[in-house]
């Protein structure tokens, strides 16, 4: 006897057929992606590039003269508008008076006015991203748009960032900002694009006082020597972020 | 009795089919969303897009390596600089990023037209700026608002008037 198929049965059967046909196709696609990820997709295997590298940054606050060359060069190198009050690196001036500590950084440290207070302890402290070993900014990103590379630099994926500013809030050093033109999170990368080309970060290149040093901590670099011979301090160690910018001659009042 | 049993199994079967279809649909939707919403290189090295490393690294460098790059053409200037107070300076500290200039020397000029403000960023007297480390002046009192190059040659800063005599 011939079985008659009604509309309901037809729809159910065709749905079932479609589902059974799509599942293997989709999972095949997933498997392909997985195998691509394991192999070399791009021509560079970054894990190999990172081997034997751990970048470190040393700042000698005794040497800094507060000229702001680093601030300007950083903005030019990394396309941060010169007139906007956002900075990947900046220089702070600390003035210790009887009333307390006064901190300023006019235009990121490019335009320090001759101050009225003459005496007391006064000094400059350059600031930048600390490329923490335990970065809160990476932890809070909801879309995986920021990450720490194997050689110790925290980068931002500007195509993936949705500009939610969680990372800006999370950074205890105020190192992040929303880029006024791209409207995504931006931060100091120790000029990773330069470092990978064998160049020093722009701020290190232009510093006329030699206050900024950059190098590989797993190699015989100037920074490693500073770490081994000088008395160094990091910023806000109590936060447990394990900063990788090491300061020589950092005063107690510096935050 | 037999009729009731048959009806019962038919109901179970159709219920199972419905659940199965639903489960299949969920799987299909998940697989579809997973393949379209998650970028291909996500998770390659960690919880981020692996391709972004290359994108970051491929950004163009604005500043050159060091003065040796400038010295390839500007030997005279480098020689003037040698041995004086400014010898440790990088050309680009004052002249700005030079990579474009090395590619198109004629089109991209690094000439400095104004010096009073530029020199002041290092040499203006500020209490926090120790005189042990750098020679400082009060710019206006020192030059009356005039450009520094009226008297100083920045490539040989302490040789007076045009920098030819020392």
């Amino acid at each position: 006897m011939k079985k008659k198929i009604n509309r309901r049965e037809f729809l159910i059967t065709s749905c079932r057929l479609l589902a059974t046909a799509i599942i293997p196709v989709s999972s095949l696609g997933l498997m392909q992606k997985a195998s691509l990820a394991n192999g070399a997709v791009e021509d560079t295997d970054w894990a190999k590039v990172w081997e034997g590298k751990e970048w470190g940054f040393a700042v000698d606050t005794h040497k800094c003269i507060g000229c702001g060359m680093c601030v300007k060069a950083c903005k030019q190198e990394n396309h941060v508008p010169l007139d906007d009050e956002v900075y990947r690196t900046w220089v702070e001036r600390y003035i210790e008076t009887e009333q307390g500590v006064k901190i300023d950084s006019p235009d990121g440290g490019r335009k320090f006015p001759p101050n009225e207070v003459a005496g007391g302890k006064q000094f400059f402290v350059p600031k930048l991203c600390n490329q923490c070993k335990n970065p809160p900014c990476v932890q809070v990103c909801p879309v995986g748009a920021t990450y720490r590379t194997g050689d110790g630099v925290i980068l931002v994926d500007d195509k993936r960032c949705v500009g939610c500013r969680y990372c800006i809030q999370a950074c205890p050093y105020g190192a992040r900002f929303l880029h006024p033109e791209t409207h995504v999170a931006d931060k100091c990368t120790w000029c990773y694009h330069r470092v990978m080309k064998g160049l020093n970060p722009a701020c290190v290149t232009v510093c006329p006082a030699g206050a900024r040093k950059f190098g590989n901590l797993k190699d015989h670099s100037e920074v490693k020597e500073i770490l081994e011979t000088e008395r160094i301090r990091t910023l806000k160690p109590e936060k447990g972020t394990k900063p990788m910018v090491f300061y020589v001659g950092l005063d107690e009042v510096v935050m | 009795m037999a009729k009731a049993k048959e009806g019962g199994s038919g109901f179970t079967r159709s219920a199972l089919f419905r659940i199965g279809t639903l489960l299949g649909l969920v799987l299909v939707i998940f697989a579809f969303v997973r393949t379209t919403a998650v970028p291909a290189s996500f998770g390659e090295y960690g919880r981020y897009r692996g391709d972004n490393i290359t994108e970051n690294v491929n950004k163009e460098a604005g500043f050159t390596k060091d003065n040796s790059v400038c010295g390839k053409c500007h030997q005279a200037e480098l020689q003037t600089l040698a041995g004086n107070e400014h010898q440790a300076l990088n050309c680009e500290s004052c002249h700005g990023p030079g990579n474009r200039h090395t590619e198109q020397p004629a089109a991209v000029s690094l000439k400095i037209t104004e010096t009073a403000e530029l020199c002041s960023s290092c040499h203006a007297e500020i209490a926090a700026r120790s005189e042990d480390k750098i020679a400082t002046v009060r710019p206006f009192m020192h030059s009356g608002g005039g450009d520094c190059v009226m008297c100083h040659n920045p490539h040989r800063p302490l040789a007076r008037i045009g920098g030819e005599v020392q």
Side-chain angles (χ1 to χ4, degrees):
Chain A
M1 202 180 125
K2 215 174 176 185
K3 204 188 167 193
K4 215 178 163 189
I5 296 178
N6 61 25
R7 189 191 289 170
R8 187 185 169 85
E9 274 173 346
F10 169 74
L11 281 173
I12 289 172
T13 320
S14 45
C15 265
R16 228 174 264 149
L17 272 172
L18 197 73
T20 40
I22 286 176
I23 290 170
V25 171
S26 307
S27 43
L28 203 78
L30 275 179
M31 272 157 65
Q32 256 179 352
K33 287 257 155 70
S35 67
L36 270 176
N38 292 332
V41 187
E42 292 287 322
D43 20 52
T44 318
D45 183 3
W46 292 107
K48 265 190 193 147
V49 176
W50 294 333
E51 237 168 67
K53 286 193 189 99
E54 187 181 23
W55 303 114
F57 203 106
V59 178
D60 192 337
T61 53
H62 289 300
K63 287 182 181 166
C64 180
I65 55 168
C67 64
M69 291 294 183
C70 48
V71 182
K72 190 180 173 187
C74 171
K75 286 194 157 197
Q76 289 172 324
E77 177 72 32
N78 296 295
H79 311 291
V80 180
L82 275 170
D83 297 330
D84 282 294
E85 294 214 337
V86 287
Y87 309 92
R88 283 175 165 223
T89 184
W90 66 101
V91 181
E92 290 172 358
R93 173 170 66 175
Y94 284 72
I95 304 167
E96 292 184 34
T97 63
E98 281 176 8
Q99 287 81 39
V101 186
K102 197 176 151 256
I103 310 164
D104 65 349
S105 182
D107 196 14
R110 285 177 61 206
K111 282 170 189 142
F112 284 113
N115 45 317
E116 314 80 52
V117 198
K121 194 152 75 173
Q122 304 196 13
F123 50 87
F124 298 108
V125 180
K127 295 266 182 91
L128 65 161
C129 173
N130 285 284
Q131 318 288 2
C132 306
K133 264 192 172 164
N134 187 12
C137 55
V138 172
Q139 198 185 345
V140 299
C141 182
V143 293
T146 186
Y147 54 95
R148 194 170 190 268
T149 62
D151 49 356
V153 176
I154 292 157
L155 301 176
V156 177
D157 184 344
D158 53 3
K159 281 187 190 153
R160 193 147 178 83
C161 176
V162 291
C164 74
R165 303 166 207 228
Y166 272 127
C167 56
I168 301 173
Q169 293 278 315
C171 177
Y173 306 102
R176 284 175 172 257
F177 57 91
L178 210 71
H179 195 286
E181 281 166 0
T182 58
H183 305 291
V184 295
D186 201 31
K187 67 179 280 294
C188 159
T189 58
W190 285 356
C191 286
Y192 199 63
H193 62 293
R194 292 177 61 81
V195 173
M196 287 289 117
K197 293 178 182 83
L199 313 170
N200 266 331
C203 59
V204 177
T205 306
V206 301
C207 180
R212 291 167 177 258
K213 302 285 177 206
F214 176 83
N216 187 358
L217 298 180
K218 287 186 179 167
D219 205 358
H220 301 290
S221 63
E222 212 175 336
V223 176
K224 202 190 172 202
E225 207 183 303
I226 291 171
L227 293 200
E228 283 168 351
T229 57
E230 295 280 350
R231 284 161 245 187
I232 46 152
R233 230 191 86 191
T234 54
L235 289 171
K236 297 183 186 176
E238 73 278 4
K239 297 277 180 195
T241 51
K242 297 195 178 127
M244 295 300 280
V245 175
F246 305 98
Y247 285 88
V248 180
L250 194 68
D251 194 88
E252 194 187 23
V253 300
V254 179
M255 294 182 289
Chain B
M1 198 70 177
K3 223 178 180 183
K5 202 184 169 188
E6 211 178 271
S9 74
F11 175 74
T12 317
R13 210 182 298 148
S14 74
L16 276 176
F17 278 144
R18 259 183 239 171
I19 293 169
T21 315
L22 208 67
L23 207 71
L25 263 174
V26 167
L27 273 173
V28 169
I29 291 168
F30 171 76
F32 179 73
V33 171
R34 176 71 178 77
T35 43
T36 50
V38 180
S41 65
F42 202 89
E44 202 177 335
Y45 297 100
R47 196 183 151 265
Y48 57 92
R49 217 159 48 85
D51 286 352
N52 182 249
I53 304 164
T54 316
E55 286 168 23
N56 261 304
V57 168
N58 285 346
K59 283 177 184 165
E60 191 194 354
F63 286 81
T64 62
K65 190 173 198 294
D66 51 33
N67 287 2
S68 63
V69 179
C70 313
K72 280 177 193 163
C73 300
H74 304 281
Q75 288 144 340
E77 281 81 357
L78 263 193
Q79 269 168 15
T80 319
L81 207 62
N84 71 52
E85 293 75 11
H86 277 176
Q87 69 167 343
L89 291 195
N90 193 296
C91 303
E92 291 163 292
S93 296
C94 302
H95 287 276
N99 242 351
R100 291 261 167 88
H101 173 72
T102 59
E103 286 156 13
Q104 297 171 287
V108 183
S109 171
L110 294 182
K111 260 207 168 74
I112 295 168
T113 50
E114 185 279 335
T115 55
E117 201 184 327
L118 182 71
C119 301
S120 296
S121 37
C122 289
H123 293 290
E125 193 180 306
I126 305 174
R129 194 171 281 156
S130 165
E131 273 197 71
D132 305 341
K133 286 174 230 151
I134 185 155
T136 54
V137 294
R138 292 183 183 174
F140 194 79
M141 309 257 283
H142 183 76
S143 71
D147 232 25
C148 307
V149 285
M150 290 189 332
C151 302
H152 298 281
N153 174 1
H155 292 150
R156 199 181 263 282
L158 282 188
R160 300 271 163 192
I161 316 299
E164 295 308 321
V165 194
Q166 191 172 34

